[in-house]
Amino acid sequence: ELQNSSINNYGYNTRVEGALGRFRYGLSLTGAHSRRETPAGEVPLAVAPQFFGNARASYELPGNLPTIALASSFMGPRLADRAHNGSFPSTPGVGATLRLRATLTGNVPEVKGRSYRLSAEYITGRNSPYVAGPLQFAGMSDPSAGPPVAELAPSNRAMAFAGLQYDV
């Protein structure tokens, strides 16, 4: 079947960015029609979102105060990597996912060339679109355990980090 197939990928992308004084912003949106064309018909590509976008905004506080930044990215629902060839009774996939990040960036007071970054991130999706674990295909399951279910790899849903930089 793969020998007689092709990929069709059409889409649109729009982007806006700008600045108003100390405030900077950006927004991008992409819609895609990503399909594999086979003799049996058209099927969506696994793992590929049909809609995604990013938004960001930052504000540079006056004086030695930090810059505050907020960023987000959105991915629409997508099929898991084994959606077409895993033979699972229900098609594995993930729902829409939103990623939010807040960051503070600034200079360390009274230390020339030293800067810092503090950031925290949260992701709404519990899983990534990749089948994980020993059950990669429905035929590998124990029939007495009931219908096979694809186990999707978990997402790292919350994260925080700090960075220190010294420019010489």
Side-chain angles (χ1 to χ4, degrees):
E1 182 178 317
L2 289 176
Q3 293 172 348
N4 297 325
S5 66
S6 61
I7 293 178
N8 295 323
N9 187 15
Y10 307 101
Y12 63 90
N13 184 301
T14 185
R15 184 172 118 177
V16 175
E17 60 182 45
L20 297 168
R22 296 173 182 261
F23 178 70
R24 300 191 186 309
Y25 59 90
L27 173 71
S28 70
L29 297 172
T30 300
H33 179 83
S34 303
R35 303 285 192 268
R36 183 169 54 107
E37 191 71 44
T38 69
E42 188 178 76
V43 294
L45 291 180
V47 184
Q50 302 301 300
F51 180 76
F52 54 96
N54 299 292
R56 61 182 166 72
S58 67
Y59 185 75
E60 185 180 332
L61 295 169
N64 288 331
L65 295 173
T67 297
I68 299 170
L70 300 173
S72 66
S73 63
F74 173 83
M75 281 198 212
R78 50 211 189 278
L79 297 174
D81 62 337
R82 301 273 188 238
H84 301 304
N85 63 358
S87 300
F88 291 101
S90 62
T91 305
V94 295
T97 303
L98 178 64
R99 178 183 303 245
L100 302 168
R101 179 181 285 183
T103 304
L104 287 177
T105 306
N107 293 319
V108 175
E110 301 182 27
V111 182
K112 186 174 179 171
R114 179 81 43 134
S115 61
Y116 65 89
R117 177 170 293 190
L118 303 171
S119 189
E121 181 175 273
Y122 177 75
I123 301 171
T124 60
R126 294 187 182 280
N127 300 99
S128 70
Y130 297 96
V131 175
L135 184 60
Q136 293 289 308
F137 301 95
M140 299 171 68
S141 68
D142 177 3
S144 66
V149 176
E151 181 181 341
L152 299 179
S155 291
N156 185 6
R157 297 190 65 204
M159 177 177 61
F161 68 89
L164 192 59
Q165 180 174 324
Y166 187 68
D167 296 321
V168 290

